[in-house]
Amino acid sequence: MTLPIYTYGQPVLRKVAEDIQPDYPGLQQLIDDMWETLAASEGIGLAAPQIGRSIRLVVIDLDAIADDMPQYKGFRQAFINPHILETDDSQTSSSEEGCLSLPAIHERVERPTRIHVRWQDEQFVEHDEWIDDYLARVMQHEFDHLDGHMFIDRISPLRKQLIKSKLRALLQGRYRCSYKTKPLPKK
């Protein structure tokens, strides 16, 4: 089932998400629904808070960018209880980011190119590894959602001021996008 994506202003997007256990109710169906929602929105990553669940669950599908980055051909992974343990700040890169919860907003974000991550897969097998390059960026972006952050928190105050009217429009539900959303209720 395709789920609505919560947009900027929804309180769940600013909460720190909780770790889950293997007996989390309906987990496999939720993961399947997240894959379907991600495909319908033509995104590459989706965190559970973006569909209204304050749990540490992310799905990432980089197959769509395989024409430009062949190393990600067939890459499709669910991350349960992911945590960034450390970042290697010795090398960073700046790249434009967008977010399904922030339709029509794109900004350059500086991030480390290498991170140390621990997570569990769908069988709750634990993984602990260093991740590099574009996947590291996507993981940082998605895992930020699990800590109540969004990419706009990582841009300069000047850039944030320049997009203030776009953010206000999102809060007021004045935006268009091609996928189902759940904006902040109007008062």
Side-chain angles (χ1 to χ4, degrees):
M1 171 174 45
T2 302
L3 304 168
I5 294 176
Y6 284 53
T7 58
Y8 178 73
Q10 288 281 9
V12 70
L13 295 174
R14 294 304 191 173
K15 286 184 178 176
V16 175
E18 304 273 330
D19 280 350
I20 60 173
Q21 300 301 315
D23 62 352
Y24 184 84
L27 179 59
Q28 190 55 59
Q29 184 61 54
L30 178 61
I31 292 170
D32 292 346
D33 290 347
M34 287 178 70
W35 285 123
E36 188 175 322
T37 301
L38 183 63
S41 61
E42 298 181 1
I44 59 171
L46 183 66
Q50 293 180 275
I51 54 153
R53 303 279 187 106
S54 191
I55 59 172
R56 296 190 80 84
L57 174 62
V58 166
V59 295
I60 296 175
D61 184 348
L62 297 182
D63 193 55
I65 63 166
D67 287 347
D68 295 324
M69 297 180 182
Q71 68 269 34
Y72 296 120
K73 179 80 177 147
F75 184 92
R76 181 178 150 112
Q77 176 73 50
F79 298 87
I80 299 171
N81 302 326
H83 292 273
I84 296 175
L85 304 177
E86 62 184 304
T87 57
D88 178 355
D89 296 323
S90 65
Q91 190 169 10
T92 63
S93 72
S94 178
S95 187
E96 188 173 273
E97 293 186 19
C99 181
L100 297 174
S101 293
L102 293 157
I105 296 178
H106 296 85
E107 291 291 327
R108 292 193 76 74
V109 178
E110 185 87 17
R111 294 192 187 268
T113 58
R114 189 166 186 256
I115 58 173
H116 182 197
V117 184
R118 182 180 303 138
W119 81 91
Q120 294 163 318
D121 61 27
E122 290 182 59
Q123 288 72 47
F124 279 82
V125 172
E126 189 154 307
H127 300 263
D128 184 324
E129 62 185 279
W130 282 91
I131 305 293
D132 299 301
D133 304 319
Y134 190 72
L135 178 56
R137 172 173 295 280
V138 175
M139 288 173 122
Q140 289 172 82
H141 176 108
E142 297 305 331
F143 298 175
D144 270 356
H145 282 297
L146 305 178
D147 293 322
H149 303 295
M150 300 178 87
F151 81 88
I152 58 170
D153 301 332
R154 299 191 179 279
I155 63 176
S156 73
L158 174 61
R159 291 299 314 157
K160 196 155 186 183
Q161 187 64 32
L162 291 171
I163 64 168
K164 194 173 183 176
S165 64
K166 289 181 182 180
L167 295 173
R168 192 175 314 110
L170 282 172
L171 290 173
Q172 296 168 349
R174 292 185 295 114
Y175 61 88
R176 286 189 206 169
C177 62
S178 61
Y179 47 88
K180 270 197 310 193
T181 62
K182 184 169 178 90
L184 192 63
K186 291 185 167 122
K187 294 182 181 181

